[in-house]
Amino acid sequence: MASKSATFAPLSPVTDFWRIASLWIRASMAYPASFWMLAVSSFLMTGLDFAGIWIIFNSVDELGGFSLPEIGFLYGATGLGIAFADLLVGRVERLGQMIRMGRLDTMMTKPVPLLVQVCADEFALRRLARVLQSGAVFAWASAYVDWTPARAATAVVMVVCGSIIFFGLFISLACIQFWTADSSEAANAFTYGGNTLTQYPMTVFPSEVVKALTFLLPIAFVNWYPALYILGRDDPFGLPSALQHAAPVAAALTTVVTVVVWRTGVRHYRSTGS
Amino acid sequence: MRGALGLYLAIARSSFRRYSTYVGATLAGIFTNSVFGIIMCFVYMAVWEANPDAGGYDVTDAVTFVWLGQALLMTVAIWGGGTPDDLAARIKSGDVAIDFYRPVGLLGWYLAGDLGRALYHLLTRGVAPTVIGALLFDLRYPASPWTWLWFFAAIPIAVTVSFSLRMLASISAFWLLDDTGPRNLMGFIAMFFCGLTVPLVLFPGALRDIAMALPWAGFIQIPADIWLGQRSGWAVAGGLALMVGWAVVLLAVCVATLRLAERRVVVQGG
């Protein structure tokens, strides 16, 4: 039995995640043609998205008072945030399916944290293409920014906090499926909807929307407030400039809410019963 | 002849009913379509405020275009989905062998099923977001009953073109086994060239002309232009003819590739 105790050595969740993820990477490489087509299509998806904005700028000089490089900066920042989160959460949006198939029960019997297993399930390396694409737009737009050390630090904090906020949104919205497995698509309105919305300057939207995305759902912190500081702009809605440095607070609050929601969901969970 | 028609109608009806069982999913989808519609309306309102006749549209045309796009998104299955996904799963599992020896053509079977699905999605995820859009924004409606007729005539043709493309992606599973790659690639190309990312009328110069002639133009742009009165008279006929042309060509390609694929199927055991 001595040899067996080595298998149960306390592994950190990160190693666990990576172990499961590398299995899935090997599995996806079994169909190389499909893998590369998926990688290219992920790159294209976000790429064509930005091509759309570029096309709009053939007809206008500025949108909501912002230039194309400035919108590229917003686009790249929110894109990096959701891309990192998407890479880590995997197919958490299919939680309902895992419950139906009884896979969640199997996971609960294994000595790895449940959330790590759910997130690492069907890990897809091709999602990295999205990080690369958003990174490319971000790098291009960054060339137009008047950088200072404080602004550079804010940019790093912005991307990290943006990833955490989107990660929290993905997880907590997926938890709705502990109660109703059928309506997973509604979560897209907040996650991908939030991503689409933050690709444009908030000046395009009514101020009520902006306030809701500041105080109710912290989506405006993934790029808008830090970007206002980095781009050296005054808040067009006259909101306090302290908000421009409040992204870590928003990320921390999101994390707390996510932990509570996830724990409540798991505690509520009763197996499908069959 | 009447028997065959009755059979396909029965398939379509069952497919309609199959999709109508997922009420929760439908409501969630309507909510998501509406949120995206609202976001894009504000963006387009800012665009047309900066340039009031961009692409020959006015702001009402642009906002109406958004909601027509959201209504057709699921109906035409622009992202993918519908019965071709079932086929891909059956190719992977080998069940497709049964489809081949049915006394009904495989293509007709799946097309009828997809048209049934499209009708369900049009009545739910097409109509409901449009009603929400109409309540929140100022939309443009066709004045002449003929326009309504042409618009609704265009939809089944658009579904057929989309079906053939999705079918080709699924048929690739006979060779690749995993069809997610071609399917996603097809979805993203469709999203861009159908006008959902940006209306095709805003595309610059030659790109616009090319995009307008591709099969995806029939998904949203041509039906929307009929609805908005941007296409009238012979331009309506031209648009519909382009769509019918693509439907015929792509269905023929489906038939040819299916014939090739049939020879690849190996039935295990026996």
Side-chain angles (χ1 to χ4, degrees):
Chain A
M1 281 289 121
S3 65
K4 210 170 182 187
S5 65
T7 338
F8 287 102
L11 293 164
S12 74
V14 180
T15 343
D16 287 337
F17 183 90
W18 178 243
R19 277 191 173 186
I20 304 173
S22 51
L23 283 177
W24 285 107
I25 295 173
R26 252 188 297 163
S28 67
M29 284 302 183
Y31 304 111
S34 193
F35 173 83
W36 287 109
M37 258 187 255
L38 276 171
V40 170
S41 58
S42 309
F43 194 87
L44 277 179
M45 176 186 80
T46 34
L48 288 178
D49 231 19
F50 191 66
I53 295 175
W54 175 79
I55 286 173
I56 287 178
F57 269 85
N58 270 313
S59 307
V60 298
D61 297 324
E62 52 170 37
L63 193 57
F66 283 70
S67 68
L68 182 58
E70 285 176 314
I71 289 179
F73 191 79
L74 291 171
Y75 174 95
T78 183
L80 281 174
I82 200 165
F84 281 124
D86 187 46
L87 188 69
L88 289 180
V89 296
R91 310 187 87 177
V92 74
E93 61 200 29
R94 302 247 176 135
L95 190 66
Q97 208 180 346
M98 292 182 198
I99 293 171
R100 261 202 307 278
M101 310 285 256
R103 292 187 56 202
L104 206 69
D105 294 346
T106 328
M107 288 178 179
M108 279 178 159
T109 62
K110 289 176 186 159
V112 174
L114 187 63
L115 186 61
V116 170
Q117 289 189 65
V118 169
C119 288
D121 190 56
E122 296 198 29
F123 177 85
L125 193 65
R126 63 184 156 79
R127 290 170 195 258
L128 210 57
R130 203 167 181 184
V131 175
L132 292 177
Q133 192 278 336
S134 304
V137 175
F138 189 76
W140 166 76
S142 292
Y144 295 86
V145 174
D146 195 6
W147 288 105
T148 64
R151 282 177 178 177
T154 308
V156 174
V157 172
M158 168 175 72
V159 173
V160 172
C161 292
S163 309
I164 295 173
I165 292 171
F166 274 122
F167 183 84
L169 278 178
F170 273 121
I171 304 280
S172 25
L173 290 165
C175 285
I176 299 173
Q177 297 179 52
F178 279 119
W179 285 271
T180 155
D182 208 15
S183 46
S184 60
E185 211 194 321
N188 289 355
F190 298 99
T191 51
Y192 296 103
N195 174 237
T196 304
L197 195 140
T198 47
Q199 287 171 357
Y200 301 95
M202 289 293 147
T203 44
V204 162
F205 304 101
S207 67
E208 293 82 4
V209 172
V210 181
K211 282 176 188 144
L213 294 178
T214 306
F215 301 111
L216 289 179
L217 211 62
I219 286 176
F221 290 98
V222 305
N223 65 351
W224 174 247
Y225 289 114
L228 282 179
Y229 173 75
I230 297 166
L231 299 172
R233 282 181 164 258
D234 294 328
D235 192 308
F237 297 97
L239 291 166
S241 63
L243 286 172
Q244 297 174 4
H245 298 284
V249 180
L253 284 174
T254 312
T255 310
V256 171
V257 172
T258 307
V259 170
V260 171
V261 171
W262 173 256
R263 293 232 165 123
T264 316
V266 173
R267 208 170 303 136
H268 168 87
Y269 173 67
R270 300 275 177 278
S271 177
T272 40
S274 51
Chain B
M1 202 51 223
R2 255 188 91 176
L5 191 66
L7 173 73
Y8 288 122
L9 278 176
I11 299 168
R13 207 177 307 125
S14 320
S15 177
F16 182 100
R17 292 185 51 187
R18 173 186 157 200
Y19 279 89
S20 66
T21 51
Y22 307 113
V23 179
T26 303
L27 290 175
I30 290 168
F31 173 72
T32 308
N33 283 144
S34 306
V35 169
F36 272 91
I38 292 168
I39 295 173
M40 288 323 290
C41 276
F42 284 121
V43 172
Y44 287 172
M45 277 153 70
V47 172
W48 267 268
E49 194 188 348
N51 182 356
D53 60 358
Y57 277 15
D58 62 21
V59 68
T60 315
D61 290 328
V63 169
T64 309
F65 186 92
V66 168
W67 293 102
L68 291 174
Q70 291 299 324
L72 292 174
L73 176 61
M74 277 305 283
T75 309
V76 182
I78 293 166
W79 268 116
T83 54
D85 277 17
D86 303 340
L87 177 71
R90 291 173 73 81
I91 295 171
K92 239 176 152 173
S93 67
D95 290 344
V96 70
I98 298 164
D99 295 347
F100 274 123
Y101 68 60
R102 279 197 182 117
V104 192
L106 187 147
L107 203 59
W109 175 284
Y110 281 95
L111 178 58
D114 204 52
L115 286 169
R117 172 206 61 76
L119 182 63
Y120 173 72
H121 278 151
L122 178 69
L123 295 178
T124 52
R125 297 191 57 175
V127 172
T130 314
V131 170
I132 290 170
L135 291 174
L136 294 175
F137 299 92
D138 213 1
L139 304 186
R140 178 154 291 149
Y141 304 93
S144 138
W146 286 105
T147 313
W148 286 93
L149 184 73
W150 295 130
F151 175 79
F152 283 109
I155 294 176
I157 311 174
V159 175
T160 308
V161 174
S162 152
F163 165 82
S164 326
L165 287 168
R166 284 176 282 136
M167 205 60 177
L168 285 173
S170 288
I171 293 171
S172 77
F174 278 110
W175 287 271
L176 301 173
L177 289 176
D178 186 32
D179 71 313
T180 34
R183 205 167 66 190
N184 283 18
L185 194 57
M186 193 76 95
F188 297 144
I189 295 172
M191 283 292 276
F192 187 69
F193 284 108
C194 73
L196 206 63
T197 314
V198 177
L200 299 185
V201 289
L202 289 189
F203 280 35
L207 189 62
R208 172 181 169 151
D209 298 337
I210 295 169
M212 285 289 197
L214 292 174
W216 299 286
F219 287 13
I220 294 178
Q221 189 67 53
I222 295 174
D225 279 343
I226 294 173
W227 175 287
L228 296 171
Q230 294 279 332
R231 271 177 190 270
S232 52
W234 284 108
V236 173
L240 292 176
L242 178 77
M243 291 167 68
V244 171
W246 275 118
V248 170
V249 169
L250 290 167
L251 280 175
V253 177
C254 281
V255 169
T257 44
L258 269 176
R259 206 162 285 161
L260 282 178
E262 209 169 343
R263 290 193 211 134
R264 284 188 56 90
V265 176
V266 179
V267 181
Q268 312 257 355

